[in-house]
Amino acid sequence: MNAGASVTGMGATTPLGGDVASTWEGMLAGRSGVVAVEEEWARELPVRIAGRMRVDPAEVLGRVSARRLDRCQQAAVVAAREAWAAAGAPEVEPERLAVVIGTGVGGVLTTLAQDDLMEASGARKVSPYTVPMLMPNGPAAVVSMELGARAGAHTPVSACASGAEAIAMGLDLIRLGRADVVVAGGAEACLHPLTMAGFGQARALSTRNESPREASRPFDAGRDGFVLGEGAAVMVLEREEFAAARGAGAHARLAGAGTSSDAHHITAADVAGQARAIRLALASAGLAALDVGHVSAHATSTPIGDVTEARSIAETIGTHAAVTAVKSMVGHLCGAAGALGAMAAVLALRDGVIPAIRNLEEPDPEVKLDLVGGEPRRGRWDAALANAFGFGGHNASLIFTRA
């Protein structure tokens, strides 16, 4: 068996809840965290819905601490603290503890807000914390300082594959002997008129402004685009021998990971590239396609993207696996999406239940998969695949097995 990593702790803050328990309960209940954006700045936008974090991370951290962190960094710290505590705060040498937190755009809210402030009031009004708050490596940096991690603080910036690629890199660090424990995941907070207008102009977003909770509908024939969301998801990965020596329990085992690049198109996905990542993950895990009983799909709710992924899954895994899509409930968390999808796969294996795809009223006939619709599906699955794909042709696939 190929070397894997024990998943000993998880943390999250999402549109469904401020922690893992509330997020998972919301997924199993089929609730939606998508809401109307009612601020003045959104009134002229063609898209006025989003998946906002249900619990403001600044309220959790305290206003004083939060003021020096971009919202993306705040979310990362909240999720990392929960994951670390859930893992039992492992006693590990700082030089054997690493952090990998991916993000799509990092502190874009700080960048835009400080630019507006400078234009309105001059350079002397710009915050001295601007650069540490806007830099994409900020989430990984603040989490590494929070935990005293000195084996490395890394930041994959791979669009919507970032969170999953961070977890893949965490496995690599453990397999390479560079760390015993890795805190890995993704964070994103980019709800702003510029990002929403940009995605809107690209015709990537759903325009169901009058029915926010019905807007995100992966694999449904009536889907018309994704819903932009925000949040963070983080997991603690441990070298299996290290976790066993300290008597740590595991939610699941990260058995393998695969990454690839399409070199095809800046926004259009490619079946061959996605399939390559899935096959590499299977090989990394030492598993066959038939071993995978569940897929936590990337499935953003775009007309072309969902069909492309369905074909890549059918080509590599087959059509036997039970497939879900958690973005139907939280929207698309961009750089955090892959980590949240991975967390859902871990919980499905642990608890023996797969959340149903919300808003799946009429499955797209082009999607030849076993979609979990209506009610959560209960059972026992030994292995699960979690996919994440990003603009630029970034592909990341993770394989988890039962602990």
Side-chain angles (χ1 to χ4, degrees):
M1 181 182 292
N2 294 354
S6 297
V7 180
T8 58
M10 294 183 290
T13 181
T14 75
L16 287 174
D19 55 20
V20 172
S22 57
T23 296
W24 184 231
E25 189 274 331
M27 287 180 178
L28 294 179
R31 286 199 291 273
S32 174
V34 179
V35 298
V37 180
E38 298 176 337
E39 285 87 344
E40 181 72 27
W41 56 259
R43 290 188 179 178
E44 300 302 317
L45 293 176
V47 176
R48 299 181 299 280
I49 54 176
R52 283 185 152 154
M53 281 184 274
R54 190 172 182 84
V55 177
D56 186 347
E59 297 291 345
V60 177
L61 300 174
R63 293 293 175 183
V64 175
S65 298
R67 283 183 60 191
R68 298 185 179 185
L69 301 175
D70 181 82
R71 188 170 172 86
C72 176
Q73 297 170 353
Q74 294 171 12
V77 171
V78 168
R81 283 182 180 176
E82 182 190 4
W84 190 250
E91 292 187 10
V92 56
E93 292 296 322
E95 290 76 15
R96 301 293 300 167
L97 171 62
V99 168
V100 192
I101 306 290
T103 184
V105 293
V108 66
L109 296 185
T110 293
T111 301
L112 296 170
Q114 292 299 312
D115 181 64
D116 287 346
L117 182 62
M118 185 172 71
E119 289 186 4
S121 305
R124 291 184 181 276
K125 293 294 183 180
V126 173
S127 169
Y129 301 108
T130 297
V131 173
M133 290 170 68
L134 67 82
M135 58 192 193
N137 63 304
V142 296
V143 170
S144 72
M145 289 183 279
E146 173 96 5
L147 301 178
R150 296 178 181 170
H154 305 282
T155 307
V157 181
S158 309
C160 307
S162 302
E165 191 168 321
I167 294 171
M169 186 174 184
L171 178 61
D172 284 345
L173 291 173
I174 289 172
R175 284 179 168 177
L176 290 169
R178 290 175 52 189
D180 292 319
V181 181
V182 182
V183 178
E188 201 79 271
C190 60
L191 299 182
H192 184 278
L194 179 62
T195 52
M196 293 180 71
F199 278 124
Q201 286 295 95
R203 300 185 183 277
L205 299 180
S206 171
T207 57
R208 295 174 184 259
N209 294 316
E210 305 307 316
S211 52
R213 291 180 296 180
E214 283 69 53
S216 185
R217 41 201 319 118
F219 299 124
D220 186 76
R223 66 192 183 280
D224 69 330
F226 70 82
V227 175
L228 190 60
E230 61 173 3
V234 171
M235 57 181 63
V236 176
L237 306 174
E238 299 190 37
R239 183 168 56 83
E240 292 176 288
E241 295 81 2
F242 183 88
R246 72 180 190 89
H251 299 283
R253 177 176 183 267
L254 176 56
T259 61
S260 71
S261 52
D262 294 343
H264 168 66
H265 190 277
I266 196 66
T267 56
D270 176 51
V271 172
Q274 293 180 359
R276 190 178 311 113
I278 296 171
R279 290 192 180 101
L280 287 170
L282 287 169
S284 172
L287 296 177
L290 286 175
D291 295 324
V292 177
H294 167 46
V295 177
S296 180
H298 182 62
T300 62
S301 185
T302 57
I304 297 176
D306 287 8
V307 171
T308 301
E309 182 179 12
R311 290 172 178 164
S312 71
I313 293 171
E315 181 180 307
T316 54
I317 300 298
T319 58
H320 67 279
V323 178
T324 196
V326 298
K327 291 182 183 68
S328 61
M329 292 166 277
V330 298
H332 193 351
L333 275 55
C334 298
L340 184 60
M343 186 189 87
V346 167
L347 292 168
L349 291 178
R350 185 194 73 182
D351 295 350
V353 58
I354 299 171
I357 302 170
R358 182 183 169 88
N359 301 320
L360 185 64
E361 297 174 356
E362 182 184 347
D364 188 326
E366 291 190 61
V367 176
K368 312 295 185 182
L369 299 174
D370 179 13
L371 302 176
V372 179
E375 297 294 328
R377 186 176 301 181
R378 297 188 179 276
R380 177 188 170 100
W381 301 274
D382 292 326
L385 164 71
N387 284 332
F389 310 122
F391 279 2
H394 303 277
N395 308 307
S397 294
L398 307 170
I399 300 283
F400 294 94
T401 55
R402 286 178 7 96

